[in-house]
Amino acid sequence: MVKKTNKNEGIFITFEGGEGSGKSTQIQKLKNNILGFISDVEIVISREPGGTEVAEQIREILVNGAADKLSVRTETLLMIAARAEHIDRVILPAIKRGAIVLCDRFKDSSIVYQGIANKIPNREIDKIHAFALKTCEPDLTILIDVPAEIGIKRALDRNENNQRFERKGELFHKKIRDGYLKIASLHPDRIKIIDGSQTIEKISDEIFQLVFPILRSSLSK
Ligand code: TYD
């Protein structure tokens, strides 16, 4: 059973996965499922990179343009700078108010994309995160796992302009998938893997089964 780990009043749940894994659909579904169970709770939905005015400006730099336009070190620092802004202005205030925060990507994205796929040593990312995260750790991370070729096809079919990461090629996206599975195996209590090739309904049921015990334990306090 997943236990609440952060010391704040609220609950912090992050969603991770490669491109086209269906995170944003599942976040909306989870919100509705939670509200079906407890109606008087504040639910904050956010995303990274982004979630505040300045972090969204940083996002513009990160997600637009050629795949290799930024050095890997600059990309890492910008991702985590946007995260610090998001934590200070949105996530920590919300969980201190007692809200449930559902976030599309968080620190594991940097560990996998910049760390494992782009070879920034994990200890370097940990050092930057130690400064940027403060006490902000997810209670639960849902990893929606889909084969890289399916996810990237879904993402490119969306035909959006901001596809700098989608353009990085199949090998990169295979590294992302393997990287996520590796970090999930290192943190089995926090990171739960969901098979993203199932139907939308089946995925959302499985996610709610994981979240339910945390809701119940935080209500009984
Ligand atoms: P986005 O369009 O939000 O992708 P998705 O819908 O798949 O979440 O673009 C965000 C991109 O930024 C995504 O390809 C992953 C990448 N990213 C990192 O490389 N490191 C990070 O720390 C974060 C938060 C995102």
Side-chain angles (χ1 to χ4, degrees):
M1 188 170 97
V2 178
K3 292 213 185 71
K4 194 169 165 327
T5 49
N6 80 57
K7 293 177 191 62
N8 297 298
E9 294 298 312
I11 300 172
F12 182 31
I13 300 173
T14 61
F15 284 71
E16 297 281 356
E19 319 306 302
S21 53
K23 297 183 279 35
S24 48
T25 306
Q26 290 301 331
I27 288 174
Q28 288 299 334
K29 292 234 160 230
L30 178 59
K31 177 182 176 180
N32 295 339
N33 282 337
I34 295 172
L35 289 175
F37 177 65
I38 357 170
S39 51
D40 60 339
V41 67
E42 181 193 3
I43 300 184
V44 174
I45 291 183
S46 201
R47 68 164 179 186
E48 290 200 351
T52 76
E53 190 183 339
V54 170
E56 290 289 332
Q57 288 170 343
I58 299 174
R59 177 188 173 90
E60 290 300 306
I61 301 172
L62 285 161
V63 302
N64 290 309
D68 61 353
K69 85 165 179 186
L70 289 168
S71 86
V72 176
R73 285 175 350 111
T74 308
E75 181 178 284
T76 305
L77 290 168
L78 285 178
M79 287 289 180
I80 301 177
R83 180 160 306 127
E85 185 69 10
H86 191 209
I87 288 169
D88 288 350
R89 295 184 194 264
V90 175
I91 300 175
L92 278 182
I95 47 185
K96 281 182 182 148
R97 289 196 300 275
I100 299 175
V101 179
L102 307 180
C103 192
D104 189 339
R105 300 192 179 281
F106 191 63
K107 67 170 193 174
D108 301 302
S109 285
S110 296
I111 296 169
V112 171
Y113 280 75
Q114 283 68 51
I116 297 174
N118 274 337
K119 298 198 172 64
I120 297 273
N122 200 13
R123 62 176 188 284
E124 303 292 349
I125 300 210
D126 282 352
K127 272 194 262 172
I128 313 169
H129 270 152
F131 175 67
L133 257 59
K134 297 186 181 167
T135 57
C136 193
E137 289 290 338
D139 296 297
L140 168 67
T141 297
I142 310 278
L143 168 58
I144 306 184
D145 175 53
V146 286
E149 55 281 9
I150 294 178
I152 199 67
K153 182 171 183 317
R154 283 190 200 159
L156 287 169
D157 285 349
R158 286 189 221 142
N159 204 16
E160 293 160 343
N161 293 326
N162 52 351
Q163 294 199 322
R164 188 176 151 249
F165 283 88
E166 285 79 350
R167 290 186 199 112
K168 283 183 184 266
E170 199 168 317
L171 184 63
F172 180 82
H173 292 286
K174 286 215 163 72
K175 283 191 203 156
I176 298 296
R177 186 191 189 198
D178 294 347
Y180 271 126
L181 293 174
K182 182 174 162 208
I183 59 162
S185 73
L186 296 175
H187 304 282
D189 291 341
R190 174 176 65 86
I191 306 180
K192 302 293 177 188
I193 305 170
I194 300 277
D195 175 359
S197 61
Q198 306 177 96
T199 63
I200 290 176
E201 293 309 323
K202 179 85 171 57
I203 296 171
S204 72
D205 284 352
E206 288 192 3
I207 292 174
F208 194 57
Q209 296 300 317
L210 291 170
V211 172
F212 187 71
I214 308 182
L215 290 179
R216 208 174 37 196
S217 77
S218 93
L219 282 179
S220 62
K221 279 202 181 138

